[in-house]
Amino acid sequence: MAFSADELRVLRRALAVALHPAPLQDEDVQDALLLAESVDEAVREAGRLRAFLLDDLARYREALPGSLSGYLELLQDALAAGYDPAADDLAALRALRRNPAAAALLARCQILAERSVRARLARVSQATTTPAAATSAPRARLLALPGGRAAADEPKPTPPAPAERPVPKPSEVFPPRRRPVPPPPPEERVAG
């Protein structure tokens, strides 16, 4: 995203006010609001462009191998825009690896996919291992609710022993099969 000279002046004034609070003039407030509106519109447009690019990429991937050159070009554009290659992309590139450009792109996509997976795993493990680190003060136990300090002082009841169930007989579990009734002899059949 690029800012014009006027937008940079507005941004600089807003940053100066953020660092050294001072009353703002109405014109500065209007300029900051217009800049925020422009940035929001640019972000929305980037999202629309990204969605279009990903839809186009999926269409080209479905039309492979006939759309090889277009698919490789679109995938390179998507990667340059920060796209993490999906499993479908890796599978398509593996099928096309006889092509030197597809093989080179496959190597790049495998590296990017591995980095993406490692980053997601690191975020997940960090979120699960340090939930208490997010809070600076230690948590106090609740005294009024069950499970608090008062409940810790009481002796815990022992669970009742499970009742002995008799082991079922095989005939109870698997009832005997009924023998099929043989069809009546041909003499007894009545013609309809």
Coordinates of all heavy atoms in Angstrom, one line a residue, residues 50 53-54 57 61 74-75 77-87 89 112:
R50 N -7.8 -10.6 -3.5 CA -7.3 -11.9 -3.0 C -8.3 -13.0 -3.3 O -7.9 -14.1 -3.7 CB -6.9 -11.8 -1.6 CG -6.3 -13.1 -1.0 CD -5.9 -12.9 0.5 NE -5.6 -14.2 1.1 CZ -4.4 -14.8 1.1 NH1 -3.4 -14.2 0.4 NH2 -4.2 -15.9 1.7
L53 N -8.4 -13.8 -6.9 CA -7.1 -14.5 -7.3 C -7.2 -16.0 -6.9 O -6.9 -16.9 -7.7 CB -5.9 -13.8 -6.7 CG -4.6 -14.5 -7.0 CD1 -4.2 -14.4 -8.5 CD2 -3.5 -13.8 -6.2
L54 N -7.7 -16.3 -5.7 CA -7.8 -17.6 -5.2 C -8.8 -18.4 -6.0 O -8.6 -19.6 -6.3 CB -8.0 -17.7 -3.7 CG -6.9 -17.1 -2.9 CD1 -7.2 -17.2 -1.4 CD2 -5.6 -17.8 -3.1
L57 N -7.3 -19.2 -9.3 CA -6.3 -20.2 -9.1 C -7.0 -21.6 -9.0 O -6.5 -22.6 -9.7 CB -5.5 -20.0 -7.9 CG -4.3 -20.9 -7.6 CD1 -3.3 -20.8 -8.6 CD2 -3.7 -20.6 -6.2
R61 N -6.5 -24.7 -11.6 CA -6.0 -26.0 -11.0 C -6.9 -27.1 -11.5 O -6.5 -28.2 -11.8 CB -5.9 -25.9 -9.5 CG -5.3 -27.2 -8.9 CD -5.2 -27.0 -7.4 NE -6.4 -26.5 -6.7 CZ -6.4 -25.5 -5.9 NH1 -5.3 -24.8 -5.7 NH2 -7.5 -25.1 -5.4
L74 N -0.4 -17.9 -12.2 CA -1.3 -17.5 -11.1 C -0.8 -17.9 -9.7 O -0.9 -17.2 -8.7 CB -2.7 -18.0 -11.3 CG -3.6 -17.3 -12.3 CD1 -4.8 -18.0 -12.6 CD2 -3.8 -15.9 -11.8
L75 N -0.2 -19.1 -9.6 CA 0.3 -19.6 -8.3 C 1.5 -18.7 -7.9 O 1.6 -18.4 -6.7 CB 0.7 -21.1 -8.4 CG 1.1 -21.7 -7.2 CD1 0.1 -21.6 -6.0 CD2 1.5 -23.2 -7.4
D77 N 1.9 -15.6 -8.6 CA 1.3 -14.3 -8.2 C 0.7 -14.4 -6.8 O 0.9 -13.6 -6.0 CB 0.3 -13.8 -9.2 CG 0.8 -13.4 -10.5 OD1 2.1 -13.2 -10.6 OD2 0.1 -13.3 -11.5
A78 N 0.1 -15.6 -6.6 CA -0.6 -15.8 -5.3 C 0.5 -15.9 -4.2 O 0.4 -15.4 -3.1 CB -1.5 -17.0 -5.3
L79 N 1.6 -16.6 -4.5 CA 2.7 -16.8 -3.5 C 3.3 -15.5 -3.2 O 3.7 -15.2 -2.0 CB 3.7 -17.8 -4.0 CG 3.2 -19.3 -4.2 CD1 4.3 -20.1 -4.8 CD2 2.8 -19.8 -2.8
A80 N 3.5 -14.6 -4.2 CA 4.0 -13.3 -4.0 C 3.1 -12.4 -3.1 O 3.6 -11.6 -2.4 CB 4.3 -12.6 -5.3
A81 N 1.8 -12.7 -3.2 CA 0.9 -11.9 -2.3 C 0.7 -12.5 -0.9 O -0.1 -12.1 -0.2 CB -0.5 -11.9 -3.0
G82 N 1.5 -13.6 -0.6 CA 1.4 -14.1 0.8 C 0.6 -15.4 0.9 O 0.3 -15.7 2.0
Y83 N 0.2 -16.0 -0.2 CA -0.6 -17.2 -0.2 C 0.2 -18.4 0.3 O 1.3 -18.6 -0.1 CB -1.2 -17.4 -1.6 CG -1.9 -18.7 -1.8 CD1 -3.2 -18.9 -1.1 CD2 -1.4 -19.7 -2.6 CE1 -3.8 -20.1 -1.3 CE2 -2.1 -20.9 -2.8 CZ -3.3 -21.1 -2.2 OH -4.0 -22.3 -2.4
D84 N -0.4 -19.1 1.2 CA 0.2 -20.4 1.6 C -0.3 -21.5 0.8 O -1.5 -21.7 0.7 CB -0.1 -20.7 3.1 CG 0.7 -19.8 4.1 OD1 1.8 -19.4 3.7 OD2 0.2 -19.6 5.2
P85 N 0.5 -22.2 0.1 CA 0.0 -23.3 -0.9 C -0.8 -24.3 -0.1 O -0.4 -24.8 1.0 CB 1.3 -23.9 -1.5 CG 2.4 -23.4 -0.6 CD 2.0 -22.2 0.1
A86 N -1.9 -24.7 -0.7 CA -2.8 -25.7 -0.1 C -2.3 -27.1 -0.5 O -1.5 -27.3 -1.4 CB -4.2 -25.4 -0.5
A87 N -2.9 -28.1 0.1 CA -2.6 -29.5 -0.3 C -3.0 -29.8 -1.7 O -2.3 -30.5 -2.4 CB -3.4 -30.4 0.6
D89 N -2.7 -27.6 -4.2 CA -1.7 -27.1 -5.0 C -0.4 -28.0 -5.0 O 0.1 -28.2 -6.1 CB -1.2 -25.7 -4.5 CG -2.4 -24.7 -4.6 OD1 -3.0 -24.6 -5.6 OD2 -2.6 -24.0 -3.6
L112 N 7.4 -23.4 1.6 CA 6.5 -22.4 2.2 C 5.4 -23.2 3.0 O 5.0 -22.7 4.1 CB 5.8 -21.6 1.1 CG 6.7 -20.6 0.4 CD1 5.9 -20.0 -0.8 CD2 7.1 -19.5 1.3

